[in-house]
Amino acid sequence: MVAKTRRQLAKLTLLLLALLLLLAAILLCVFLIPRHHRRPLPPASPPPGNASNPDDSIVAFDFSPYLIMYKSGRVHRLDGTARCSAGVDEATGVTSKDVVLDSRTGLAARMYLPPKDPGSSGRRHPVLVFYHGGAFVIESAFTPLYHAYLNGVVAKARVVAVSVEYRLAPEHRLPTAYDDSWRALKWVARNAASGPEPWLRDRGNLSRLFVAGDSAGANIAHNMARRAGAGGTEEGGLDGGGAAITGLLLLDPYFWGKKPVAGETTDPARRRQYEATWSFICGGRYGIDDPLVDPLSMPASQWRKLACSRVAVTSSGLDDFRPRGLAYVAALNGSGWDGEIQQYETPGERHVYFLDRPKDPDSIKELAFVTGFLTRE
């Protein structure tokens, strides 16, 4: 009996020993064998060109940090290509949707509606037409950067907003962005007057129409007010119930010119760079002193035709475009234009800083200025 018990204990000991050896082997695999699948991915590289076309790897124009264009015509965008969906924003309660304005060209927009206020049933809201920035070559009405910004503006100012998806250079060089933007503005005016777009027809107040943008979008916004004041160079003026622009809001506007203004850089290389990028954007069609990019070249008579009753211009202290933005304010003030102009500056900040850092104190103050401009009766 004792011998039998000893044999059983020996078998049990062998079984336990085998289990320990198996466990040791498993641990050895986990800790000693290299875990290749957990290594970080290599950094992203530019998309490969066409190996059969040598021009596909030769840089024709380097517009870093925005894009690189190759001799073959291939364009590699370095920023502003992400997209996000429309819907209900949890943080603000703002609802958004995407609409196609022209199926032939692909002209589209993202619309925003503020959350309902129980105390103001049936109230109509100011209408804001917004043009995004991005040097005319990157960004979109559908990028997370501008989606977040418009959600914030709409929630605070309680406006019905239309963020325009205009076509970009270099695939569509200027004046395409201006023409798309003009068609979008006319579409908004028509629909706010009589539909069929319900957010504009039923919730928008056409008597309080604002046009705004940042950087290149601010350049577009200015040129839309200029075009509307001139009666429009295409298809007449704005449509719909005597539509007129109430306010023009230019956030760190992209303006430049041949001759430096006070406070602007005089470095020849820097100025050549801005001139070269403008020429790239418009395909050499417009000079750097054209009124499209340099409003200071406009005669006083054109300033007086600016189609709005209020203008606000913001600037950032470290922005290369700041001096010409200030000169814009002075020129408008001195032109005899019959309207009200406001200027807001944030010292020590760079170009359109408020987009990247919306929760910073300076950004919150700038948003309050924007909100005040849009909500003031």
Side-chain angles (χ1 to χ4, degrees):
M1 183 70 179
V2 172
K4 183 178 179 180
T5 301
R6 287 177 178 174
R7 286 196 300 271
Q8 289 176 339
L9 288 173
K11 289 180 180 179
L12 183 60
T13 301
L14 289 172
L15 179 61
L16 289 174
L17 183 60
L19 289 173
L20 288 173
L21 290 172
L22 177 62
L23 179 61
I26 293 172
L27 292 175
L28 183 67
C29 290
V30 171
F31 290 104
L32 297 183
I33 296 176
R35 292 170 285 179
H36 296 288
H37 65 285
R38 295 190 181 183
R39 288 180 181 176
L41 294 173
S45 58
N50 184 352
S52 64
N53 183 359
D55 289 346
D56 211 33
S57 59
I58 299 173
V59 174
F61 192 86
D62 189 340
F63 199 174
S64 297
Y66 305 121
L67 61 74
I68 297 173
M69 183 174 181
Y70 295 88
K71 191 175 179 181
S72 65
R74 180 169 65 94
V75 175
H76 173 47
R77 285 184 167 82
L78 307 173
D79 195 10
T81 59
R83 298 292 185 269
C84 66
S85 300
V88 178
D89 181 56
E90 293 184 2
T92 61
V94 171
T95 303
S96 58
K97 67 178 180 180
D98 296 335
V99 293
V100 176
L101 312 187
D102 186 341
S103 58
R104 179 181 58 85
T105 63
L107 178 61
R110 177 160 291 181
M111 298 185 64
Y112 296 82
L113 192 67
K116 289 185 178 180
D117 184 351
S120 59
S121 179
R123 178 189 173 205
R124 289 179 175 268
H125 304 284
V127 176
L128 170 66
V129 179
F130 188 87
Y131 302 108
H132 69 81
F136 294 98
V137 298
I138 62 167
E139 292 296 346
S140 162
F142 310 136
T143 55
L145 189 72
Y146 284 99
H147 183 67
Y149 182 72
L150 266 296
N151 276 323
V153 170
V154 170
K156 293 289 185 181
R158 299 196 62 79
V159 295
V160 178
V162 180
S163 182
V164 179
E165 177 73 349
Y166 57 86
R167 287 173 289 176
L168 302 176
E171 295 90 344
H172 306 280
R173 299 184 192 267
L174 295 180
T176 299
Y178 295 130
D179 293 340
D180 283 352
S181 298
W182 178 245
R183 292 188 185 103
L185 181 57
K186 288 166 67 69
W187 180 91
V188 169
R190 284 196 306 272
N191 279 272
S194 57
E197 168 48 52
W199 285 11
L200 290 169
R201 181 193 62 208
D202 302 333
R203 305 292 296 277
N205 181 358
L206 187 58
S207 68
R208 299 185 62 202
L209 173 63
F210 292 86
V211 177
D214 73 291
S215 191
N219 174 298
I220 292 174
H222 158 77
N223 280 294
M224 295 305 98
R226 179 173 164 240
R227 186 179 285 200
T233 58
E234 175 202 13
E235 304 173 12
L238 289 178
D239 297 334
I245 300 170
T246 300
L248 176 64
L249 176 60
L250 309 180
L251 306 174
D252 290 7
Y254 166 33
F255 297 134
W256 202 249
K258 192 72 173 178
K259 183 179 179 181
V261 299
E264 207 169 66
T265 181
T266 56
D267 176 57
R270 189 73 169 156
R271 299 197 71 84
R272 283 195 300 271
Q273 180 185 21
Y274 280 122
E275 190 165 350
T277 55
W278 170 254
S279 181
F280 174 75
I281 292 163
C282 67
R285 183 168 183 169
Y286 309 108
I288 198 64
D289 54 356
D290 190 283
L292 288 171
V293 67
D294 183 15
L296 303 183
S297 65
M298 295 193 309
S301 60
Q302 288 191 29
W303 285 102
R304 290 194 291 270
K305 291 180 180 178
L306 204 63
C308 54
S309 57
R310 293 164 52 205
V311 173
V313 179
T314 74
S315 57
S316 300
L318 302 179
D319 186 4
D320 279 357
F321 300 132
R322 170 186 173 271
R324 201 160 292 257
L326 299 180
Y328 178 101
V329 172
L332 184 57
N333 264 327
S335 68
W337 172 72
D338 185 19
E340 175 190 333
I341 187 163
Q342 296 174 262
Q343 196 271 327
Y344 179 89
E345 179 159 348
T346 307
E349 291 287 4
R350 299 191 178 277
H351 189 61
V352 295
Y353 68 93
F354 48 86
L355 293 175
D356 296 315
R357 309 194 321 269
K359 295 184 179 179
D360 278 12
D362 284 343
S363 301
I364 293 171
K365 290 177 184 176
E366 174 137 343
L367 180 59
F369 172 80
V370 168
T371 300
F373 181 77
L374 296 174
T375 57
R376 203 189 81 197
E377 296 287 349

